[in-house]
C-alpha cells in the first residue's frame, strides 16, 4: 500500500489513509510523510470453524461469529460519525478499500455517495481462511456497488469472479503489485550466485502449512542426500511457530543445515545471501517475495499454482514444479549448475524491472480509478 501511495503521489494524487489501530502503520506513514487518521472501525470478515457440521465447536463458533458481526456493525456505525468530519475536510474523489478483509470503505462510499474501488489483495478463504460477514450475497452486493475490483493477479480475480457470479466480470481488472520504484530496483545487486562458497536456499513468508515450508525442508533434505559433498543451507525467514519444522529437519538429518531466522524487518541481507529462492505456497495471491527474488537476480523455484505461474515463466525466469518429486529434481539441477542459476536470475531480474516497478503499478492503478469515477 505504501509503495502504491508513493507512486500515486509522484503522479499528483493526494492520499489520506484511515487505519483502525495505532501500530507499525502509523509510524510508517509518518516516516513516508503520508497523511493518516486513526479511526476505530472493524473488519468485514470472520473465521468460520473447520469442524464438521455436527461438532459442538462448529455451532459455538458460528454463534460467536454472529454476535461479533452485530457488534462490528455497531462499531462501524459509530465510526461513520468521526469519518464524516474527516471526509468533509479532505473531500475525496474516490474511496479505496485496500483489502478484501475490510468492507468499511464500501460503507463510507455508499453513505456519502462517493465512488468506491476495491483493491483485492487476497483470495480470502484459500490463503487467510476468512469469509465475509453476512455471507457472499452481501459481499456481492458490496462489489456491485463498487466501480471497480482491482485484483493483484489473474488468479485472485478468477477466484472472486467465481465466488460472486452476480457481479459483472467487467468490474474485475488485474494490476500487479509494485515492489519498489524502478531506480531502487535497479540498485539491487546480489553477488552471491557468482561466489564459490556454501550455497544458500531461501524461503520467506508466514510460517504455516499452506506456505509450504515443510515441503521445502523435505526437498532440501533429499537434495542434500543426492549431493553429499556440496555445502548448502536452507534459510527459513518468517514469523510463526517453527517447532514442527525444526523437528522435521532433525528427523531428516539436516537440523544443522536449516537456519530459522524468524521475522526480518529488513530483507536486503537475506536476499543478498541467497543462491536460490523458493515459493512453495499452495495459493499465493501474488507473491511479492517471488518478484523480489527476481529483482535481486535470484533464480526462483515456485509451485505451479496460484499466481506464481503468472510471475515465473518456467525455464525462462525460473522453474515451476507440480509435485514433491519434481521439486527435488529441479532443486538438485539448480544446485549443480552455476550457469543455469545465472541465466534464470538474469532473465528474472529483467522481467521484475520491467513489470513490477511501483511506477508501472501506480500508473495503471490511477488509470483504472479515473475510468471508474
Amino acid at each position: 500500500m505504501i509503495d502504491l501511495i508513493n507512486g500515486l503521489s509522484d503522479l499528483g494524487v493526494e492520499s489520506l489513509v484511515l487505519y483502525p489501530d495505532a501500530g507499525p502503520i502509523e509510524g510508517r506513514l509518518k516516516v513516508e510523510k503520508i497523511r493518516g487518521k486513526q479511526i476505530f472501525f472493524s473488519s468485514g470478515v470472520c473465521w468460520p470453524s473447520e469442524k464438521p457440521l455436527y461438532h459442538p465447536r462448529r455451532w459455538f463458533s458460528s454463534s460467536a461469529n454472529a454476535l461479533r458481526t452485530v457488534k462490528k456493525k455497531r462499531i462501524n456505525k459509530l465510526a461513520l460519525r468521526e469519518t464524516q468530519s474527516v471526509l468533509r475536510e479532505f473531500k475525496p474523489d474516490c474511496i479505496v478499500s485496500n483489502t478484501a478483509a475490510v468492507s468499511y470503505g464500501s460503507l463510507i462510499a455508499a453513505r456519502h455517495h462517493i465512488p468506491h474501488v476495491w483493491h483485492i489483495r487476497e483470495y480470502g478463504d484459500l490463503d487467510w481462511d476468512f469469509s465475509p460477514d453476512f455471507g457472499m450475497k452481501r459481499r456481492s452486493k458490496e462489489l456491485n456497488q463498487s466501480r471497480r475490483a482491482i485484483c493483484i493477479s489473474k488468479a485472485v480475480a478468477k477466484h472472486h469472479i467465481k465466488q460472486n457470479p452476480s457481479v459483472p466480470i467487467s468490474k474485475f481488472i488485474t494490476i500487479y503489485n509494485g515492489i519498489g520504484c524502478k531506480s531502487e530496483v535497479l540498485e539491487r545487486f546480489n553477488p552471491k550466485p557468482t561466489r564459490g562458497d556454501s550455497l544458500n536456499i531461501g524461503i520467506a513468508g508466514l510460517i504455516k502449512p499452506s506456505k509450504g515450508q515443510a515441503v521445502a525442508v523435505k526437498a532440501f533434505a533429499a537434495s542434500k542426500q543426492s549431493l553429499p559433498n556440496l555445502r548448502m543451507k536452507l534459510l527459513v525467514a518468517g514469523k510463526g511457530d517453527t517447532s514442527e519444522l525444526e523437528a522435521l529437519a532433525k528427523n531428516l538429518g539436516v537440523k544443522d543445515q536449516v537456519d530459522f531466522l524468524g521475522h526480518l524487518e529488513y530483507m536486503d541481507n537475506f536476499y543478498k545471501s541467497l543462491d536460490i529462492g523458493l515459493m512453495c505456497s499452495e495459493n499465493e495471491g501474488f507473491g511479492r517475495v517471488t518478484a523480489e527474488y527476481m529483482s535481486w537476480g535470484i533464480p526462483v523455484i515456485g509451485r505451479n499454482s496460484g499466481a506464481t505461474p503468472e510471475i515465473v515463466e518456467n525455464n525462462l525466469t525460473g522453474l515451476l514444479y507440480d509435485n514433491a518429486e519434481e521439486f527435488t529434481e529441479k532443486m538438485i539441477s539448480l544446485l549443480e549448475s552455476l550457469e543455469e542459476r545465472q541465466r534464470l536470475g538474469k532473465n528474472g531480474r529483467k522481467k521484475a524491472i520491467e513489470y513490477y516497478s511501483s511506477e508501472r503499478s501506480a500508473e495503471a492503478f490511477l488509470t483504472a480509478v479515473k475510468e471508474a469515477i
Side-chain angles (χ1 to χ4, degrees), residues 179 184-190 271 288-298 300 345 348-353 356:
I179 58 171
E184 176 191 334
V185 175
L186 284 169
E187 289 177 1
R188 293 177 181 175
F189 173 65
N190 174 23
Y271 291 129
R288 183 185 178 99
V289 170
T290 308
E292 289 192 337
Y293 286 145
M294 292 164 60
S295 74
W296 283 91
I298 302 165
V300 182
R349 178 168 162 75
K350 183 179 179 181
K351 181 176 181 180
I353 291 170
Y356 306 124

PDB file of all heavy atoms in Angstrom, residues 179 184-190 271 288-298 300 345 348-353 356:
ATOM      1  N   ILE A 179       7.027  -3.534  -6.428  1.00  0.00           N
ATOM      2  CA  ILE A 179       7.907  -3.976  -5.349  1.00  0.00           C
ATOM      3  C   ILE A 179       8.964  -2.923  -5.031  1.00  0.00           C
ATOM      4  O   ILE A 179       9.927  -3.187  -4.317  1.00  0.00           O
ATOM      5  CB  ILE A 179       8.592  -5.309  -5.701  1.00  0.00           C
ATOM      6  CG1 ILE A 179       9.392  -5.174  -7.002  1.00  0.00           C
ATOM      7  CG2 ILE A 179       7.577  -6.424  -5.806  1.00  0.00           C
ATOM      8  CD1 ILE A 179      10.271  -6.367  -7.302  1.00  0.00           C
ATOM      9  N   GLU A 184      15.193   2.208  -7.461  1.00  0.00           N
ATOM     10  CA  GLU A 184      15.549   1.385  -6.301  1.00  0.00           C
ATOM     11  C   GLU A 184      15.810  -0.054  -6.720  1.00  0.00           C
ATOM     12  O   GLU A 184      16.785  -0.686  -6.280  1.00  0.00           O
ATOM     13  CB  GLU A 184      14.412   1.425  -5.274  1.00  0.00           C
ATOM     14  CG  GLU A 184      14.620   0.536  -4.059  1.00  0.00           C
ATOM     15  CD  GLU A 184      13.368   0.414  -3.215  1.00  0.00           C
ATOM     16  OE1 GLU A 184      12.539   1.345  -3.250  1.00  0.00           O
ATOM     17  OE2 GLU A 184      13.217  -0.616  -2.528  1.00  0.00           O
ATOM     18  N   VAL A 185      14.962  -0.581  -7.587  1.00  0.00           N
ATOM     19  CA  VAL A 185      15.119  -1.960  -8.047  1.00  0.00           C
ATOM     20  C   VAL A 185      16.407  -2.117  -8.856  1.00  0.00           C
ATOM     21  O   VAL A 185      17.103  -3.127  -8.740  1.00  0.00           O
ATOM     22  CB  VAL A 185      13.891  -2.393  -8.877  1.00  0.00           C
ATOM     23  CG1 VAL A 185      14.097  -3.787  -9.461  1.00  0.00           C
ATOM     24  CG2 VAL A 185      12.634  -2.371  -8.017  1.00  0.00           C
ATOM     25  N   LEU A 186      16.738  -1.101  -9.642  1.00  0.00           N
ATOM     26  CA  LEU A 186      17.958  -1.160 -10.454  1.00  0.00           C
ATOM     27  C   LEU A 186      19.217  -1.208  -9.592  1.00  0.00           C
ATOM     28  O   LEU A 186      20.249  -1.729 -10.022  1.00  0.00           O
ATOM     29  CB  LEU A 186      18.021   0.044 -11.396  1.00  0.00           C
ATOM     30  CG  LEU A 186      17.102  -0.016 -12.627  1.00  0.00           C
ATOM     31  CD1 LEU A 186      17.053   1.339 -13.320  1.00  0.00           C
ATOM     32  CD2 LEU A 186      17.572  -1.096 -13.597  1.00  0.00           C
ATOM     33  N   GLU A 187      19.130  -0.665  -8.381  1.00  0.00           N
ATOM     34  CA  GLU A 187      20.287  -0.654  -7.488  1.00  0.00           C
ATOM     35  C   GLU A 187      20.499  -1.987  -6.773  1.00  0.00           C
ATOM     36  O   GLU A 187      21.555  -2.225  -6.193  1.00  0.00           O
ATOM     37  CB  GLU A 187      20.123   0.457  -6.434  1.00  0.00           C
ATOM     38  CG  GLU A 187      20.269   1.861  -7.000  1.00  0.00           C
ATOM     39  CD  GLU A 187      20.039   2.925  -5.948  1.00  0.00           C
ATOM     40  OE1 GLU A 187      19.779   2.550  -4.782  1.00  0.00           O
ATOM     41  OE2 GLU A 187      20.120   4.124  -6.271  1.00  0.00           O
ATOM     42  N   ARG A 188      19.506  -2.851  -6.814  1.00  0.00           N
ATOM     43  CA  ARG A 188      19.627  -4.131  -6.134  1.00  0.00           C
ATOM     44  C   ARG A 188      20.676  -5.004  -6.829  1.00  0.00           C
ATOM     45  O   ARG A 188      20.712  -5.099  -8.052  1.00  0.00           O
ATOM     46  CB  ARG A 188      18.283  -4.858  -6.109  1.00  0.00           C
ATOM     47  CG  ARG A 188      17.266  -4.149  -5.247  1.00  0.00           C
ATOM     48  CD  ARG A 188      15.906  -4.820  -5.284  1.00  0.00           C
ATOM     49  NE  ARG A 188      14.964  -4.089  -4.450  1.00  0.00           N
ATOM     50  CZ  ARG A 188      13.675  -4.368  -4.358  1.00  0.00           C
ATOM     51  NH1 ARG A 188      13.176  -5.378  -5.044  1.00  0.00           N
ATOM     52  NH2 ARG A 188      12.881  -3.651  -3.575  1.00  0.00           N
ATOM     53  N   PHE A 189      21.499  -5.631  -6.018  1.00  0.00           N
ATOM     54  CA  PHE A 189      22.557  -6.474  -6.576  1.00  0.00           C
ATOM     55  C   PHE A 189      22.841  -7.604  -5.612  1.00  0.00           C
ATOM     56  O   PHE A 189      23.074  -7.385  -4.427  1.00  0.00           O
ATOM     57  CB  PHE A 189      23.828  -5.646  -6.815  1.00  0.00           C
ATOM     58  CG  PHE A 189      25.008  -6.493  -7.244  1.00  0.00           C
ATOM     59  CD1 PHE A 189      24.977  -7.173  -8.451  1.00  0.00           C
ATOM     60  CD2 PHE A 189      26.120  -6.613  -6.438  1.00  0.00           C
ATOM     61  CE1 PHE A 189      26.052  -7.960  -8.852  1.00  0.00           C
ATOM     62  CE2 PHE A 189      27.203  -7.395  -6.822  1.00  0.00           C
ATOM     63  CZ  PHE A 189      27.175  -8.070  -8.037  1.00  0.00           C
ATOM     64  N   ASN A 190      22.793  -8.824  -6.127  1.00  0.00           N
ATOM     65  CA  ASN A 190      23.062  -9.999  -5.321  1.00  0.00           C
ATOM     66  C   ASN A 190      24.355 -10.653  -5.800  1.00  0.00           C
ATOM     67  O   ASN A 190      24.361 -11.312  -6.839  1.00  0.00           O
ATOM     68  CB  ASN A 190      21.888 -10.982  -5.438  1.00  0.00           C
ATOM     69  CG  ASN A 190      22.171 -12.297  -4.722  1.00  0.00           C
ATOM     70  OD1 ASN A 190      22.999 -12.339  -3.813  1.00  0.00           O
ATOM     71  ND2 ASN A 190      21.522 -13.356  -5.144  1.00  0.00           N
ATOM     72  N   TYR A 271      18.207 -11.446   1.016  1.00  0.00           N
ATOM     73  CA  TYR A 271      18.266 -11.635  -0.437  1.00  0.00           C
ATOM     74  C   TYR A 271      19.712 -11.701  -0.941  1.00  0.00           C
ATOM     75  O   TYR A 271      20.038 -12.494  -1.823  1.00  0.00           O
ATOM     76  CB  TYR A 271      17.520 -10.506  -1.151  1.00  0.00           C
ATOM     77  CG  TYR A 271      16.023 -10.532  -0.963  1.00  0.00           C
ATOM     78  CD1 TYR A 271      15.324  -9.399  -0.536  1.00  0.00           C
ATOM     79  CD2 TYR A 271      15.290 -11.684  -1.201  1.00  0.00           C
ATOM     80  CE1 TYR A 271      13.948  -9.422  -0.358  1.00  0.00           C
ATOM     81  CE2 TYR A 271      13.915 -11.720  -1.024  1.00  0.00           C
ATOM     82  CZ  TYR A 271      13.242 -10.587  -0.605  1.00  0.00           C
ATOM     83  OH  TYR A 271      11.895 -10.620  -0.429  1.00  0.00           O
ATOM     84  N   ARG A 288       4.841 -11.320  -3.560  1.00  0.00           N
ATOM     85  CA  ARG A 288       5.812 -10.226  -3.564  1.00  0.00           C
ATOM     86  C   ARG A 288       7.236 -10.762  -3.391  1.00  0.00           C
ATOM     87  O   ARG A 288       8.166 -10.288  -4.038  1.00  0.00           O
ATOM     88  CB  ARG A 288       5.499  -9.230  -2.445  1.00  0.00           C
ATOM     89  CG  ARG A 288       6.436  -8.025  -2.426  1.00  0.00           C
ATOM     90  CD  ARG A 288       6.201  -7.105  -1.246  1.00  0.00           C
ATOM     91  NE  ARG A 288       7.165  -6.004  -1.255  1.00  0.00           N
ATOM     92  CZ  ARG A 288       6.914  -4.794  -1.708  1.00  0.00           C
ATOM     93  NH1 ARG A 288       5.717  -4.507  -2.190  1.00  0.00           N
ATOM     94  NH2 ARG A 288       7.848  -3.858  -1.684  1.00  0.00           N
ATOM     95  N   VAL A 289       7.372 -11.772  -2.535  1.00  0.00           N
ATOM     96  CA  VAL A 289       8.687 -12.374  -2.314  1.00  0.00           C
ATOM     97  C   VAL A 289       9.236 -12.946  -3.624  1.00  0.00           C
ATOM     98  O   VAL A 289      10.419 -12.802  -3.927  1.00  0.00           O
ATOM     99  CB  VAL A 289       8.610 -13.469  -1.234  1.00  0.00           C
ATOM    100  CG1 VAL A 289       9.905 -14.265  -1.179  1.00  0.00           C
ATOM    101  CG2 VAL A 289       8.337 -12.852   0.130  1.00  0.00           C
ATOM    102  N   THR A 290       8.367 -13.574  -4.416  1.00  0.00           N
ATOM    103  CA  THR A 290       8.789 -14.135  -5.702  1.00  0.00           C
ATOM    104  C   THR A 290       9.346 -13.041  -6.601  1.00  0.00           C
ATOM    105  O   THR A 290      10.431 -13.181  -7.180  1.00  0.00           O
ATOM    106  CB  THR A 290       7.609 -14.825  -6.403  1.00  0.00           C
ATOM    107  OG1 THR A 290       7.004 -15.759  -5.516  1.00  0.00           O
ATOM    108  CG2 THR A 290       8.070 -15.545  -7.663  1.00  0.00           C
ATOM    109  N   ALA A 291       8.596 -11.945  -6.736  1.00  0.00           N
ATOM    110  CA  ALA A 291       9.048 -10.834  -7.579  1.00  0.00           C
ATOM    111  C   ALA A 291      10.318 -10.201  -7.022  1.00  0.00           C
ATOM    112  O   ALA A 291      11.182  -9.746  -7.795  1.00  0.00           O
ATOM    113  CB  ALA A 291       7.935  -9.794  -7.700  1.00  0.00           C
ATOM    114  N   GLU A 292      10.454 -10.163  -5.697  1.00  0.00           N
ATOM    115  CA  GLU A 292      11.655  -9.587  -5.100  1.00  0.00           C
ATOM    116  C   GLU A 292      12.875 -10.493  -5.304  1.00  0.00           C
ATOM    117  O   GLU A 292      13.978 -10.003  -5.549  1.00  0.00           O
ATOM    118  CB  GLU A 292      11.425  -9.293  -3.620  1.00  0.00           C
ATOM    119  CG  GLU A 292      10.483  -8.111  -3.422  1.00  0.00           C
ATOM    120  CD  GLU A 292      10.439  -7.606  -1.996  1.00  0.00           C
ATOM    121  OE1 GLU A 292      10.762  -8.390  -1.084  1.00  0.00           O
ATOM    122  OE2 GLU A 292      10.066  -6.428  -1.802  1.00  0.00           O
ATOM    123  N   TYR A 293      12.678 -11.811  -5.203  1.00  0.00           N
ATOM    124  CA  TYR A 293      13.773 -12.713  -5.573  1.00  0.00           C
ATOM    125  C   TYR A 293      14.290 -12.335  -6.960  1.00  0.00           C
ATOM    126  O   TYR A 293      15.494 -12.181  -7.184  1.00  0.00           O
ATOM    127  CB  TYR A 293      13.280 -14.164  -5.649  1.00  0.00           C
ATOM    128  CG  TYR A 293      13.004 -14.882  -4.360  1.00  0.00           C
ATOM    129  CD1 TYR A 293      11.959 -15.806  -4.279  1.00  0.00           C
ATOM    130  CD2 TYR A 293      13.795 -14.710  -3.230  1.00  0.00           C
ATOM    131  CE1 TYR A 293      11.696 -16.516  -3.118  1.00  0.00           C
ATOM    132  CE2 TYR A 293      13.537 -15.411  -2.060  1.00  0.00           C
ATOM    133  CZ  TYR A 293      12.479 -16.308  -2.014  1.00  0.00           C
ATOM    134  OH  TYR A 293      12.222 -17.003  -0.862  1.00  0.00           O
ATOM    135  N   MET A 294      13.359 -12.239  -7.890  1.00  0.00           N
ATOM    136  CA  MET A 294      13.721 -11.968  -9.283  1.00  0.00           C
ATOM    137  C   MET A 294      14.425 -10.627  -9.427  1.00  0.00           C
ATOM    138  O   MET A 294      15.390 -10.490 -10.189  1.00  0.00           O
ATOM    139  CB  MET A 294      12.465 -12.040 -10.153  1.00  0.00           C
ATOM    140  CG  MET A 294      11.890 -13.449 -10.252  1.00  0.00           C
ATOM    141  SD  MET A 294      10.176 -13.530 -10.877  1.00  0.00           S
ATOM    142  CE  MET A 294      10.352 -12.785 -12.479  1.00  0.00           C
ATOM    143  N   SER A 295      13.951  -9.619  -8.694  1.00  0.00           N
ATOM    144  CA  SER A 295      14.559  -8.289  -8.797  1.00  0.00           C
ATOM    145  C   SER A 295      16.008  -8.284  -8.315  1.00  0.00           C
ATOM    146  O   SER A 295      16.801  -7.438  -8.724  1.00  0.00           O
ATOM    147  CB  SER A 295      13.740  -7.266  -8.008  1.00  0.00           C
ATOM    148  OG  SER A 295      13.917  -7.426  -6.604  1.00  0.00           O
ATOM    149  N   TRP A 296      16.341  -9.219  -7.435  1.00  0.00           N
ATOM    150  CA  TRP A 296      17.716  -9.339  -6.939  1.00  0.00           C
ATOM    151  C   TRP A 296      18.563 -10.257  -7.818  1.00  0.00           C
ATOM    152  O   TRP A 296      19.739 -10.493  -7.529  1.00  0.00           O
ATOM    153  CB  TRP A 296      17.712  -9.861  -5.506  1.00  0.00           C
ATOM    154  CG  TRP A 296      17.347  -8.823  -4.484  1.00  0.00           C
ATOM    155  CD1 TRP A 296      16.100  -8.541  -4.006  1.00  0.00           C
ATOM    156  CD2 TRP A 296      18.230  -7.923  -3.809  1.00  0.00           C
ATOM    157  NE1 TRP A 296      16.143  -7.530  -3.092  1.00  0.00           N
ATOM    158  CE2 TRP A 296      17.446  -7.128  -2.938  1.00  0.00           C
ATOM    159  CE3 TRP A 296      19.609  -7.710  -3.843  1.00  0.00           C
ATOM    160  CZ2 TRP A 296      17.983  -6.134  -2.123  1.00  0.00           C
ATOM    161  CZ3 TRP A 296      20.147  -6.729  -3.027  1.00  0.00           C
ATOM    162  CH2 TRP A 296      19.345  -5.956  -2.182  1.00  0.00           C
ATOM    163  N   GLY A 297      17.965 -10.810  -8.863  1.00  0.00           N
ATOM    164  CA  GLY A 297      18.700 -11.721  -9.732  1.00  0.00           C
ATOM    165  C   GLY A 297      18.827 -13.114  -9.168  1.00  0.00           C
ATOM    166  O   GLY A 297      19.729 -13.867  -9.548  1.00  0.00           O
ATOM    167  N   ILE A 298      17.914 -13.488  -8.257  1.00  0.00           N
ATOM    168  CA  ILE A 298      17.944 -14.816  -7.629  1.00  0.00           C
ATOM    169  C   ILE A 298      17.014 -15.755  -8.408  1.00  0.00           C
ATOM    170  O   ILE A 298      15.832 -15.447  -8.591  1.00  0.00           O
ATOM    171  CB  ILE A 298      17.473 -14.738  -6.167  1.00  0.00           C
ATOM    172  CG1 ILE A 298      18.346 -13.772  -5.365  1.00  0.00           C
ATOM    173  CG2 ILE A 298      17.475 -16.122  -5.527  1.00  0.00           C
ATOM    174  CD1 ILE A 298      17.744 -13.368  -4.037  1.00  0.00           C
ATOM    175  N   VAL A 300      14.356 -18.562  -9.149  1.00  0.00           N
ATOM    176  CA  VAL A 300      13.227 -18.987  -8.318  1.00  0.00           C
ATOM    177  C   VAL A 300      12.755 -20.383  -8.713  1.00  0.00           C
ATOM    178  O   VAL A 300      12.665 -20.700  -9.902  1.00  0.00           O
ATOM    179  CB  VAL A 300      12.039 -18.008  -8.461  1.00  0.00           C
ATOM    180  CG1 VAL A 300      10.887 -18.428  -7.551  1.00  0.00           C
ATOM    181  CG2 VAL A 300      12.461 -16.587  -8.167  1.00  0.00           C
ATOM    182  N   GLY A 345      18.425 -16.194 -13.171  1.00  0.00           N
ATOM    183  CA  GLY A 345      18.471 -14.974 -12.368  1.00  0.00           C
ATOM    184  C   GLY A 345      18.490 -13.724 -13.229  1.00  0.00           C
ATOM    185  O   GLY A 345      17.803 -12.738 -12.933  1.00  0.00           O
ATOM    186  N   GLY A 348      15.021 -13.311 -14.860  1.00  0.00           N
ATOM    187  CA  GLY A 348      14.031 -12.919 -13.855  1.00  0.00           C
ATOM    188  C   GLY A 348      14.187 -11.469 -13.450  1.00  0.00           C
ATOM    189  O   GLY A 348      13.195 -10.747 -13.285  1.00  0.00           O
ATOM    190  N   ARG A 349      15.426 -11.025 -13.293  1.00  0.00           N
ATOM    191  CA  ARG A 349      15.681  -9.626 -12.931  1.00  0.00           C
ATOM    192  C   ARG A 349      15.164  -8.674 -14.005  1.00  0.00           C
ATOM    193  O   ARG A 349      14.543  -7.655 -13.710  1.00  0.00           O
ATOM    194  CB  ARG A 349      17.177  -9.422 -12.703  1.00  0.00           C
ATOM    195  CG  ARG A 349      17.574  -7.995 -12.371  1.00  0.00           C
ATOM    196  CD  ARG A 349      19.004  -7.934 -11.877  1.00  0.00           C
ATOM    197  NE  ARG A 349      19.549  -6.583 -11.944  1.00  0.00           N
ATOM    198  CZ  ARG A 349      19.235  -5.600 -11.107  1.00  0.00           C
ATOM    199  NH1 ARG A 349      18.379  -5.815 -10.135  1.00  0.00           N
ATOM    200  NH2 ARG A 349      19.781  -4.410 -11.239  1.00  0.00           N
ATOM    201  N   LYS A 350      15.387  -9.038 -15.240  1.00  0.00           N
ATOM    202  CA  LYS A 350      14.924  -8.207 -16.360  1.00  0.00           C
ATOM    203  C   LYS A 350      13.399  -8.069 -16.335  1.00  0.00           C
ATOM    204  O   LYS A 350      12.858  -6.972 -16.519  1.00  0.00           O
ATOM    205  CB  LYS A 350      15.377  -8.826 -17.688  1.00  0.00           C
ATOM    206  CG  LYS A 350      15.005  -8.019 -18.906  1.00  0.00           C
ATOM    207  CD  LYS A 350      15.522  -8.691 -20.179  1.00  0.00           C
ATOM    208  CE  LYS A 350      15.119  -7.890 -21.412  1.00  0.00           C
ATOM    209  NZ  LYS A 350      15.586  -8.552 -22.665  1.00  0.00           N
ATOM    210  N   LYS A 351      12.706  -9.169 -16.082  1.00  0.00           N
ATOM    211  CA  LYS A 351      11.240  -9.122 -16.036  1.00  0.00           C
ATOM    212  C   LYS A 351      10.752  -8.303 -14.853  1.00  0.00           C
ATOM    213  O   LYS A 351       9.797  -7.522 -14.969  1.00  0.00           O
ATOM    214  CB  LYS A 351      10.669 -10.540 -15.961  1.00  0.00           C
ATOM    215  CG  LYS A 351       9.138 -10.543 -15.931  1.00  0.00           C
ATOM    216  CD  LYS A 351       8.559 -11.934 -15.957  1.00  0.00           C
ATOM    217  CE  LYS A 351       7.022 -11.858 -15.940  1.00  0.00           C
ATOM    218  NZ  LYS A 351       6.398 -13.203 -15.967  1.00  0.00           N
ATOM    219  N   ALA A 352      11.393  -8.472 -13.677  1.00  0.00           N
ATOM    220  CA  ALA A 352      10.973  -7.742 -12.480  1.00  0.00           C
ATOM    221  C   ALA A 352      11.103  -6.236 -12.677  1.00  0.00           C
ATOM    222  O   ALA A 352      10.222  -5.468 -12.279  1.00  0.00           O
ATOM    223  CB  ALA A 352      11.796  -8.202 -11.277  1.00  0.00           C
ATOM    224  N   ILE A 353      12.194  -5.815 -13.277  1.00  0.00           N
ATOM    225  CA  ILE A 353      12.416  -4.383 -13.512  1.00  0.00           C
ATOM    226  C   ILE A 353      11.363  -3.825 -14.457  1.00  0.00           C
ATOM    227  O   ILE A 353      10.847  -2.718 -14.271  1.00  0.00           O
ATOM    228  CB  ILE A 353      13.839  -4.143 -14.073  1.00  0.00           C
ATOM    229  CG1 ILE A 353      14.885  -4.445 -12.991  1.00  0.00           C
ATOM    230  CG2 ILE A 353      13.997  -2.711 -14.580  1.00  0.00           C
ATOM    231  CD1 ILE A 353      16.306  -4.479 -13.511  1.00  0.00           C
ATOM    232  N   TYR A 356       7.296  -5.004 -12.539  1.00  0.00           N
ATOM    233  CA  TYR A 356       6.875  -4.893 -11.150  1.00  0.00           C
ATOM    234  C   TYR A 356       7.421  -3.663 -10.446  1.00  0.00           C
ATOM    235  O   TYR A 356       7.643  -3.674  -9.234  1.00  0.00           O
ATOM    236  CB  TYR A 356       7.260  -6.169 -10.391  1.00  0.00           C
ATOM    237  CG  TYR A 356       6.724  -7.408 -11.053  1.00  0.00           C
ATOM    238  CD1 TYR A 356       7.573  -8.455 -11.443  1.00  0.00           C
ATOM    239  CD2 TYR A 356       5.368  -7.539 -11.327  1.00  0.00           C
ATOM    240  CE1 TYR A 356       7.084  -9.570 -12.076  1.00  0.00           C
ATOM    241  CE2 TYR A 356       4.864  -8.654 -11.963  1.00  0.00           C
ATOM    242  CZ  TYR A 356       5.723  -9.669 -12.340  1.00  0.00           C
ATOM    243  OH  TYR A 356       5.231 -10.777 -12.973  1.00  0.00           O
TER     244      TYR A 356
END
